[in-house]
């Protein structure tokens, strides 16, 4: 496994805007934008999401019996009609090289298990005398995607398959793997086997686990031992109800965030999404600007990984401005001991402290109400002292106060993020 991260991963993922259909040109356009505009602010990872090996991929779902592109050992290869640099067996090597040349890391998505087409063809498992049909667990299937079977980890060929798959990723220069269909139900042996393959690859590749529905804190030790980040929800889209549901989840997970791994509140459905996605049509995020600020504030103070889901080159300047607000992002980098301290009558308060400056603290104030609210929050409720300087980080504004209350006006579903210094 790679060295433990001091901060959560930050990057871009193709899912929210391109679903199963992203092309090499679109990946590079987002990588180039990230390198120029976002890398100076900490965004450094570009991830190609699901079915990069499916030449007939389409928006709004999956093709049954899809003609997945595989090598002779049942390992997925990029579809050349979408990733032309993969021609001649080059795989993702040339694309990863382009991304690395921009100063970024390259990531990809993979489904748990082994392709059903490899099983049907009884393809040999690389480096062994086994065949795909011998190592598959045909009773273990994903409920929403029909590409793969699970693996029978009582058979030594199962680990050999993952070892060979990840070895190929490492040869391509992959830095980050998002492994899907791992957490619901919780596939303990699959997770351990995949992490083992990553360790054996000889390359520091980070592991992200999905989708996270009903994932329990009881698995925390196992998750920390094997992954960099793990989702704590199903797919999140640009609906306020999806965002609001994350308050309870992140309140549960935030006290455990740190170098041992990161609970992931899911991608940021901001900017231009839905271009050829699973859900909805080409659109700008339906979240209002206050709702977008609330989403980012919760993700930042709870120290969730940040994976932008919108198409960067065609997203509004206002969205890019939120993603490059260094004062707000400093809470993600330097915050620690984050926790929810109050949730009453639609008012939610969070606090954290700075892990570098002993006397610096952070606070977030959220309104879950559907109408604007005028609030007078006791300073002690957000960990502030009467003489503290209070600065709101989204607006870069020093906030006057009377030594007793923090007074603010929040729009519907709005939030404010504060730095508190003596």
């Amino acid at each position: 496994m790679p060295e433990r991260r001091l901060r959560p991963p930050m990057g871009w993922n193709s899912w929210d805007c391109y679903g199963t259909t992203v092309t090499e040109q679109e990946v590079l356009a987002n990588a180039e934008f990230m390198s120029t505009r976002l890398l100076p602010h900490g965004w450094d990872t570009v991830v190609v999401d699901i079915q990069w090996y499916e030449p007939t991929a389409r928006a709004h779902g999956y093709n049954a019996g899809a003609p997945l592109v595989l090598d002779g050992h049942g390992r997925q290869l990029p579809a050349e009609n979408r990733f032309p640099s993969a021609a001649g067996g080059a795989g993702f090597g040339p694309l990863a090289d382009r991304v690395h040349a921009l100063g970024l890391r390259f990531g990809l998505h993979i489904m748990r298990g082994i392709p059903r087409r490899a099983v049907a063809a009884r393809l040999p498992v690389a480096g062994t005398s086994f065949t795909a049909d011998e190592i598959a667990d045909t009773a273990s299937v994903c409920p929403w995607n029909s590409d793969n079977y699970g693996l029978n980890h009582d058979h030594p060929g199962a680990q050999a398959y993952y070892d060979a798959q990840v070895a190929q990723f490492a040869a391509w220069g992959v830095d980050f793997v998002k492994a899907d269909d791992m957490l619901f139900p919780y596939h303990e042996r699959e997770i351990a086997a995949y992490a083992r393959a990553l360790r054996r690859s000889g390359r520091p590749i980070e592991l992200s686990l999905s989708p996270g529905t009903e994932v329990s804190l009881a698995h925390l030790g196992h998750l920390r031992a094997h992954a960099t980040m793990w989702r704590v929800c199903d797919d999140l889209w640009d609906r306020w109800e999806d965002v609001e549901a994350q308050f309870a989840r992140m309140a549960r997970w935030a006290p455990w965030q740190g170098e041992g791994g990161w609970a992931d509140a899911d991608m940021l459905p901001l900017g231009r999404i839905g271009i050829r996605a699973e859900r909805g049509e080409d659109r700008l995020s339906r979240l209002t600007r206050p709702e977008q600020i609330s989403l980012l504030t919760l993700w930042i103070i709870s120290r969730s990984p940040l994976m932008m889901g919108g198409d960067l080159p065609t997203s509004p300047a206002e969205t890019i401005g939120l993603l490059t607000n260094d004062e707000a992002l400093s809470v993600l980098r330097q915050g620690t001991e984050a926790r929810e301290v109050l949730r009453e009558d639609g008012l939610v308060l969070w606090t954290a402290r700075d892990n570098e400056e002993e006397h610096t603290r952070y606070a977030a104030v959220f309104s879950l109400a559907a109408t604007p609210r005028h609030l007078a929050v006791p300073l002690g409720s957000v960990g502030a002292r009467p003489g503290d300087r209070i600065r709101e980080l989204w607006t870069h504004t020093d906030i006057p106060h009377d030594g007793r209350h923090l007074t603010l006006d929040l729009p519907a579903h709005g939030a404010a993020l504060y730095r508190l210094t003596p």
Side-chain angles (χ1 to χ4, degrees), residues 84-106:
S85 71
F92 270 136
L95 178 56
D97 287 346
R98 293 279 301 275
V99 171
H100 292 154
L102 294 168
L104 305 173
R105 305 187 315 145
F106 179 73

Side-chain angles (χ1 to χ4, degrees), residues 307-349:
M307 286 288 170
M308 172 61 174
D311 184 62
L312 293 170
T314 58
S315 287
E318 292 80 6
T319 302
I320 306 305
L322 293 176
L323 302 180
T324 55
N325 184 322
D326 285 326
E327 287 199 76
L329 291 174
S330 68
V331 183
L332 183 80
R333 290 189 289 267
Q334 297 165 210
T336 189
E337 298 179 10
R339 57 181 179 149
E340 182 187 88
V341 295
L342 178 74
R343 190 186 316 193
E344 296 284 349
D345 190 29
L347 172 68
V348 179
L349 306 180

Side-chain angles (χ1 to χ4, degrees), residues 57-361:
R58 59 181 176 83
H60 303 146
Y62 303 95
N63 296 318
L68 311 184
V69 182
L70 307 177
D71 69 7
H73 297 288
R75 297 175 296 186
Q76 296 89 341
L77 295 173
E80 293 179 19
N81 63 323
R82 294 166 50 202
F83 299 94
S85 71
F92 270 136
L95 178 56
D97 287 346
R98 293 279 301 275
V99 171
H100 292 154
L102 294 168
L104 305 173
R105 305 187 315 145
F106 179 73
L108 55 75
H109 173 288
I110 199 68
M111 291 297 297
R112 174 181 68 89
I114 187 168
R116 298 185 190 187
R117 293 174 68 87
V119 173
R122 299 182 176 179
L123 294 180
V125 177
T128 77
S129 60
F130 309 123
T131 54
D133 56 301
E134 295 178 289
I135 68 171
D137 178 358
T138 57
S140 178
V141 296
C142 174
W144 47 266
N145 177 274
S146 62
D147 291 347
N148 282 14
Y149 292 122
L151 289 168
N152 171 16
H153 288 283
D154 290 327
H155 193 295
Q159 184 67 57
Y161 177 78
Y162 276 162
D163 289 351
Q165 183 189 70
V166 173
Q168 181 152 273
F169 294 166
W172 291 343
V174 171
D175 306 295
F176 182 100
V177 171
K178 175 185 174 182
D180 212 335
D181 191 35
M182 286 288 197
L183 300 176
F184 184 66
Y186 193 88
H187 292 280
E188 183 170 330
R189 297 183 73 185
E190 296 267 19
I191 294 167
Y194 216 92
R196 190 177 301 116
L198 291 171
R199 289 194 297 270
R200 292 175 175 176
S201 73
R203 183 176 178 83
I205 302 174
E206 292 191 312
L207 178 60
S208 167
L209 300 173
S210 287
T213 309
E214 298 177 12
V215 66
S216 168
L217 266 171
H219 298 300
L220 178 63
H222 190 260
L223 290 164
R224 280 177 162 171
H226 295 104
T228 296
M229 55 188 271
W230 49 88
R231 282 260 297 280
V232 297
C233 63
D234 201 353
D235 285 359
L236 178 136
W237 286 97
D238 51 333
R239 303 177 299 191
W240 173 248
E241 56 264 34
D242 288 13
V243 177
E244 187 171 0
Q246 297 300 70
F247 280 87
R249 294 188 181 107
M250 295 315 292
R252 183 165 64 247
W253 284 96
W256 307 100
Q257 300 282 56
E259 295 175 43
W262 309 93
D264 173 20
D266 202 13
M267 286 175 280
L268 310 175
L270 305 179
R272 186 183 176 198
I273 61 175
I275 298 170
R276 296 189 307 276
E278 181 197 31
R279 299 188 196 181
E281 303 301 329
D282 191 345
R283 65 191 184 277
L284 294 180
S285 177
R286 292 175 297 212
L287 296 172
T288 66
R289 182 172 175 83
E291 290 169 348
Q292 294 178 40
I293 291 173
S294 288
L295 182 157
L296 283 167
T297 301
L298 179 61
W299 270 234
I300 284 171
I301 200 162
S302 67
R303 305 196 77 196
S304 168
L306 300 182
M307 286 288 170
M308 172 61 174
D311 184 62
L312 293 170
T314 58
S315 287
E318 292 80 6
T319 302
I320 306 305
L322 293 176
L323 302 180
T324 55
N325 184 322
D326 285 326
E327 287 199 76
L329 291 174
S330 68
V331 183
L332 183 80
R333 290 189 289 267
Q334 297 165 210
T336 189
E337 298 179 10
R339 57 181 179 149
E340 182 187 88
V341 295
L342 178 74
R343 190 186 316 193
E344 296 284 349
D345 190 29
L347 172 68
V348 179
L349 306 180
W350 280 67
T351 63
R353 69 174 185 84
D354 192 286
N355 62 13
E356 297 178 1
E357 299 292 335
E358 179 181 357
H359 300 294
T360 297
R361 297 167 310 285

